[in-house]
Amino acid sequence: MPSVLARIPLARLPTPYQRAPRLAREAGLSALWIKREDLSGPALGGNKIRQIEYILGAARAAGADTVLTTAASQSNFCRALAGCAAQAGFGCRLMLRAAGGTAPVGNLLLMRLFGAEISFTDATDPWHPDVRAELEAIAGELRAQGRRPFVVQLPGETAALAAAAWALAGEEFAADFSRAGEPPDFLAVACGSALTLAGLALGFARQAIPTRLLGVSVQQPAARLVPWVSDVCGRAATLLGWDVGDAMARVAITDDQIAPGYALPSQAGLAALKLAARTEGLVLDPSYTGKAMAGLLAAAQAGGSAAFLHSGGAPSLFAQGEAVAAAL
Ligand SMILES: Cc1ncc(COP(=O)(O)O)c(C=O)c1O
């Protein structure tokens, strides 16, 4: 691995890979496994911890003392970054999109608990170029205070590093699949920035794992994500010094589960969340993993075997308690 990829070890790895026989039966699958990335460790875990190990590694290598990022006000990434920053001795400055609500519940409560310094923005599109300018202005304020900020922008320059972190998990999946006896026909994962999907595509290609990857978008149209994932795969491969051919060959992205919109619960997502809880004791959330499970259940109509990347996100369940309770 190139030395540019400095890592601060935080996650509890490997995360468990477990069978879900009752949910498999309900879904009409011959077998279903859950990759329990929700149990990845610090700050209540999730798919962001593997990425944060390398992000904080890069921040330390750059001599930074504070990480600065932006996302939704109920962002699992910001909650995990705030907690991991506290654990690793960094300050954490967050610019959050006010549209997601400013009440101190769920992830936002945890960000405050971890001591993050928080401001809100009216921006609604994390991919808009103005977002970068707002972040740079905050970085300038921090520098004026004598601090050394490290700007983290997942859809921006941090993308390749975050995808590379997941590409490096390919070896762990190969070991999981080998212990389970065979690779599943497909693996479903929630897609926001789609960096987890991009990394998995690269990691699976590197390990020659035949499993198809189903990205279930919760925010962006598939037409926007497909070229983005392909681009990020290429950049992450360059970062890692890998040449794996066409990583996109095994990737499909559906945007069928986004409605009624990002972070807004859907009937199918809530039904999937309830089913997973009652058949397997899994805690999914309405914004990401509930919708991803709904996508898996829809794809399962074709039969076969599947795996589900449980990417965490439980704190937002508590921020949307009323909608969840109404579906029970
Ligand atoms: C719980 C959860 N699952 C999945 C995702 C999607 O990960 P990615 O942004 O890499 O697509 C996120 C992103 O915020 C998340 O919080």
Side-chain angles (χ1 to χ4, degrees), residues 12-169:
R12 297 183 72 88
L13 302 178
T15 53
Y17 183 66
Q18 68 190 43
R19 273 185 180 277
R22 285 159 299 278
L23 187 50
R25 208 171 307 128
E26 292 286 337
L29 290 162
S30 59
L32 173 62
W33 289 269
I34 314 289
K35 180 64 170 168
R36 296 295 306 271
E37 203 64 19
D38 57 317
L39 303 180
S40 62
L44 301 186
N47 63 320
K48 305 300 182 180
I49 306 296
R50 286 182 204 254
Q51 300 171 329
I52 289 168
E53 291 188 326
Y54 290 96
I55 289 169
L56 291 182
R60 183 159 289 167
D65 61 7
T66 302
V67 282
L68 162 62
T69 197
T70 184
S73 59
Q74 279 298 327
S75 160
N76 293 298
F77 174 66
C78 288
R79 174 257 306 163
L81 185 67
C84 291
Q87 183 175 342
F90 289 89
C92 182
R93 175 73 171 82
L94 302 173
M95 180 179 93
L96 303 176
R97 298 197 295 276
T102 57
V105 291
N107 282 309
L108 184 51
L109 174 65
L110 291 166
M111 293 173 215
R112 289 179 59 179
L113 180 69
F114 292 134
E117 299 159 77
I118 295 170
S119 63
F120 292 96
T121 173
D122 293 330
T124 51
D125 180 2
W127 305 57
H128 197 280
D130 287 355
V131 170
R132 180 72 200 186
E134 279 192 70
L135 276 183
E136 283 303 337
I138 295 174
E141 288 165 20
L142 292 170
R143 279 187 211 102
Q145 295 164 16
R147 294 165 66 181
R148 299 185 303 280
F150 183 84
V151 179
V152 179
Q153 207 188 355
L154 281 189
E157 67 195 33
T158 317
L161 183 62
W166 267 101
L168 290 164

Side-chain angles (χ1 to χ4, degrees), residues 169-288:
E171 212 175 324
E172 188 177 311
F173 279 87
D176 288 337
F177 296 164
S178 146
R179 268 194 307 276
E182 58 178 359
D185 293 331
F186 74 96
L187 178 145
V189 57
C191 283
S193 65
L195 299 175
T196 305
L197 176 68
L200 285 171
L202 193 56
F204 279 29
R206 169 92 169 171
Q207 298 294 327
I209 295 170
T211 300
R212 287 176 283 115
L213 290 162
L214 174 64
V216 183
S217 178
V218 302
Q219 189 169 20
Q220 304 289 338
R224 190 173 187 180
L225 286 182
V226 170
W228 162 250
V229 170
S230 172
D231 175 55
V232 173
C233 268
R235 284 193 276 144
T238 302
L239 196 60
L240 290 162
W242 292 359
D243 180 6
V244 297
D246 182 13
M248 291 300 285
R250 53 177 52 67
V251 174
I253 298 178
T254 173
D255 49 18
D256 289 352
Q257 304 296 332
I258 298 175
Y262 174 62
L264 299 174
S266 66
Q267 288 304 321
L270 290 171
L273 179 152
K274 180 174 160 185
L275 183 66
R278 295 187 176 186
T279 53
E280 302 289 346
L282 294 172
V283 183
L284 305 185
D285 76 287
S287 303
Y288 287 94

